[in-house]
Amino acid sequence: MSVSILFGILGMGSLASSLLPMKFDKRIDGNGGYLEYQVENPTNETVRYKIYKKPETRDLKDKGIIGSMDRWIEFYPKILTIPPRSRGVVKLAIKAPKSAAVGEYAARVGTLPVAIPKTGGEGSAINAQISLPIGTEMQIFGYVGDLAPKVEGTLKEKKTEKGSFVAGKIKNVGTSGVNILAFYRYRDSTGTQTKIMPLGRLTPGDEIEIDTSRISGTKEHKALELSIKEDGGNTAFVTYR
């Protein structure tokens, strides 16, 4: 798998809700794993969301995923009503049975906006909310056993006619997948810039190519720092300085 870092803004429509963080990645045997998610209402109306879970139906055995964990998921609340331009919290826990095999599991959780009846005035009919935001569905992963990601690689300077950049390869040589991001700092004719780019999930055995020379911008580009980190974590797996 090859990825060139093209830094930019990735976003959904202005009416799309968000479910953050967009991951789980916790051990689910023993006492299980727990995480709280922020659900955003980006509209100017009060919105009611139905929270749901469902199995991961894709065959991900080639990615090391041995089954779906949806049947072990518990969450609260099931229905969440959020005022305009505000956020609510969903608490999610996953606990695998003792019989669960060692390995990684997947599932899907999401939000589904539902209409809130509105009364237009005394004696009027009850009308459903007309404009609803877009729901969010995400794929989450958990694992049974003493598994851990381990990302290794080499990042080196790459020179072009536009300046100096960073290129190299990184690989997950560990036993579980991990969501990673790139923290990139550089200087050009406009000053010092910082970019953060999610690179997706790196499963065991996956290798990706990093090349910042495709970044759009002015000339006189000079790479200052590039760190490959776990999304939501502080420790850098691989760093160029």
Side-chain angles (χ1 to χ4, degrees):
M1 184 169 78
S2 177
V3 173
S4 294
I5 300 180
L6 300 178
F7 291 96
I9 298 176
L10 296 180
M12 295 177 289
S14 60
L15 291 181
S17 67
S18 63
L19 190 59
L20 300 173
M22 295 287 287
K23 65 172 189 172
F24 187 78
D25 288 342
K26 292 182 178 293
R27 187 167 181 171
I28 59 174
D29 56 336
N31 293 327
Y34 173 83
L35 193 60
E36 294 186 0
Y37 291 89
Q38 299 282 327
V39 182
E40 183 180 12
N41 172 13
T43 74
N44 294 319
E45 302 283 345
T46 297
V47 173
R48 183 169 295 164
Y49 292 97
K50 177 181 179 181
I51 314 301
Y52 67 88
K53 64 177 182 177
K54 67 182 187 180
E56 176 52 67
T57 57
R58 292 176 56 198
D59 185 353
L60 299 175
K61 288 185 175 60
D62 61 329
K63 299 296 185 181
I65 308 303
I66 64 175
S68 182
M69 61 183 182
D70 63 291
R71 59 196 181 279
W72 307 327
I73 296 176
E74 298 290 340
F75 57 87
Y76 178 85
K78 310 295 185 186
I79 300 291
L80 188 61
T81 302
I82 307 177
R85 302 290 175 180
S86 299
R87 291 184 176 183
V89 175
V90 174
K91 300 177 180 182
L92 187 145
I94 308 177
K95 185 175 181 179
K98 292 182 179 180
S99 59
V102 171
E104 286 197 278
Y105 295 81
R108 291 183 179 267
V109 296
T111 62
L112 179 65
V114 294
I116 300 176
K118 301 175 91 175
T119 302
E122 184 178 352
S124 66
I126 296 179
N127 297 317
Q129 182 175 319
I130 297 175
S131 178
L132 293 176
I134 302 169
T136 298
E137 181 178 291
M138 67 178 178
Q139 186 181 49
I140 59 173
F141 299 88
Y143 59 93
V144 171
D146 190 18
L147 308 182
K150 184 179 181 182
V151 179
E152 297 179 346
T154 303
L155 300 175
K156 297 181 179 180
E157 181 183 36
K158 176 180 179 178
K159 292 186 177 181
T160 74
E161 68 280 2
K162 291 186 177 181
S164 69
F165 298 85
V166 182
K169 292 181 179 180
I170 60 172
K171 183 176 182 178
N172 184 357
V173 296
T175 52
S176 71
V178 61
N179 284 286
I180 58 173
L181 59 78
F183 175 89
Y184 186 45
R185 193 165 60 89
Y186 64 94
R187 186 171 63 246
D188 61 15
S189 59
T190 64
T192 300
Q193 312 291 338
T194 298
K195 303 288 185 181
I196 299 175
M197 180 65 180
L199 300 181
R201 184 175 175 83
L202 201 62
T203 57
D206 274 352
E207 181 179 76
I208 61 174
E209 179 181 340
I210 306 295
D211 187 350
T212 68
S213 66
R214 297 187 181 183
I215 189 172
S216 60
T218 61
K219 294 183 179 181
E220 303 176 27
H221 189 110
K222 179 174 176 56
L224 301 176
E225 177 186 359
L226 176 61
S227 296
I228 307 300
K229 301 180 178 182
E230 180 179 0
D231 194 346
N234 296 319
T235 302
F237 292 120
V238 184
T239 300
Y240 166 87
R241 284 190 174 88

